[in-house]
Amino acid sequence: MTHSELLPRPPSPLVEAADDRFGRYGVRLLLKRDDLVHPELPGNKWRKLAPNLRAALEGGHDQLVTFGGAYSNHLRATAAAGRLLGLRTVGIVRGDELAGRPLNESLARCAADGMRLHFVSRSEYRRKAEPHRLARLVDAAGAAGAYVVPEGGSNALALGGCAELGRELRGAADVVAVACGTGGTLAGLAAGLGPGQRALGVPVLAGGFLAAEIRSLQAAAFGGPAGDWALAEDFHHGGYARVPAELEAFAADFGSRHGLPVERIYVAKLLWALTELTASGAFAPGTTLAAVVTGRP
């Protein structure tokens, strides 16, 4: 992967998913296959990381440092990007109790891609938004001078990349839905959509903190609110990385119906939420929904 390959890729495919669970209510479902946008940095990870990677390279940085939990897709994507670009990577991982344990599959993949993992306490991790605490964390991780990519990759640069996703969907759907972790994808997506379209976010974490975070991200990126967006809470199935049996069965069934490899932590919760909301009458007959498939298993 070279610097030139960080240029935007062609629009990802938009395909119809004929499904009676939507069709019986007069709702049309489209799948925005953003999982196909890049072979190793799929979906919103490509959208958010590419602008930051360009900035790091143009700024002469040879090291990236970022943050995430034990199952973070963002950590994995950053590690892969570092390997592809020849950049050193450091992952500051939430939970110092993990330091003495065998790495789970997700963190093992990061390490295999060359990421150096630095585990910190949950209390330290929570305070990383405080500038002096952030500097201390980065120094302690041996990453002073590295280009800092925030948790989830969500910053003003990332929102510009996600706005392009919205522009690709202009005129294609009435409602564009996406699963949310840190809110950056939704914040940028909403800004890129056209008049009369709205963005719907499905948080995969409990807590109800995302609305304020999205407003803050949009203010930093665009100077204020941008686009029409809303959140559909209560579809997190117990919290991040929780995949109860009923969600697992739903994801497997959806995948077999539509030939789609359904990622469980984000995409399954998004598709479940849209199915439930459609059955509850949340979308008027004649509505076209587009679900953004942000990753793959």
Side-chain angles (χ1 to χ4, degrees):
M1 188 178 188
T2 64
H3 192 173
S4 64
E5 288 180 87
L6 293 174
L7 294 171
R9 296 294 175 102
S12 54
L14 184 65
V15 297
E16 183 148 11
D19 193 310
D20 187 54
R21 292 171 294 186
F22 296 86
R24 72 170 67 114
Y25 298 101
V27 173
R28 183 177 176 225
L29 177 66
L30 306 176
L31 301 175
K32 177 66 166 165
R33 293 295 306 273
D34 235 35
D35 58 315
L36 303 176
V37 78
H38 188 279
E40 298 205 56
L41 309 176
N44 58 346
K45 302 310 172 197
W46 169 265
R47 305 275 184 183
K48 293 194 285 188
L49 270 175
N52 278 285
L53 293 169
R54 279 197 296 273
L57 290 169
E58 288 165 2
H61 294 274
D62 64 359
Q63 184 171 216
L64 306 172
V65 61
T66 195
F67 307 83
Y71 295 94
S72 169
N73 289 330
H74 167 69
L75 283 181
R76 286 211 311 273
T78 304
R83 172 175 54 78
L84 291 166
L85 288 169
L87 295 171
R88 292 177 295 140
T89 57
V90 177
I92 296 177
V93 185
R94 181 179 62 244
D96 54 355
E97 75 280 2
L98 301 171
R101 299 179 187 171
L103 298 179
N104 65 28
E105 186 179 351
S106 185
L107 293 177
R109 180 70 257 170
C110 293
D113 277 337
M115 176 174 275
R116 184 163 54 80
L117 301 172
H118 178 74
F119 298 90
V120 300
S121 71
R122 292 167 188 272
S123 58
E124 277 186 280
Y125 190 92
R126 277 194 296 271
R127 299 185 66 181
K128 66 186 180 304
E130 302 169 26
H132 68 288
R133 290 278 179 174
L134 173 62
R136 193 180 304 172
L137 274 174
V138 170
D139 283 349
Y147 184 91
V148 179
V149 181
E151 182 178 28
S154 294
N155 58 11
L157 282 174
L159 263 63
C162 293
E164 182 60 31
L165 171 63
R167 287 190 284 273
E168 289 177 18
L169 286 160
R170 283 188 179 181
D174 303 297
V175 179
V176 180
V178 67
C180 300
T182 53
T185 303
L186 178 68
L189 168 68
L193 292 174
Q197 291 181 291
R198 61 189 175 98
L200 178 66
V202 176
V204 302
L205 295 88
F209 62 90
L210 264 188
E213 184 64 20
I214 290 165
R215 286 192 289 269
S216 175
L217 285 166
Q218 288 196 333
F222 310 120
D228 181 4
W229 59 270
L231 294 172
E233 306 274 6
D234 301 325
F235 295 103
H236 52 73
H237 290 263
Y240 187 73
R242 301 284 176 85
V243 185
E246 60 182 356
L247 182 62
E248 176 63 40
F250 169 84
D253 173 68
F254 195 98
S256 65
R257 288 183 190 221
H258 300 292
L260 171 74
V262 178
E263 186 273 335
R264 298 319 199 238
I265 295 173
Y266 289 89
V267 179
K269 292 178 181 181
L270 167 68
L271 296 170
W272 172 289
L274 292 180
T275 305
E276 293 288 306
L277 289 168
T278 298
S280 72
F283 307 115
T287 297
T288 297
L289 297 177
V292 181
V293 180
T294 47
R296 49 182 179 263

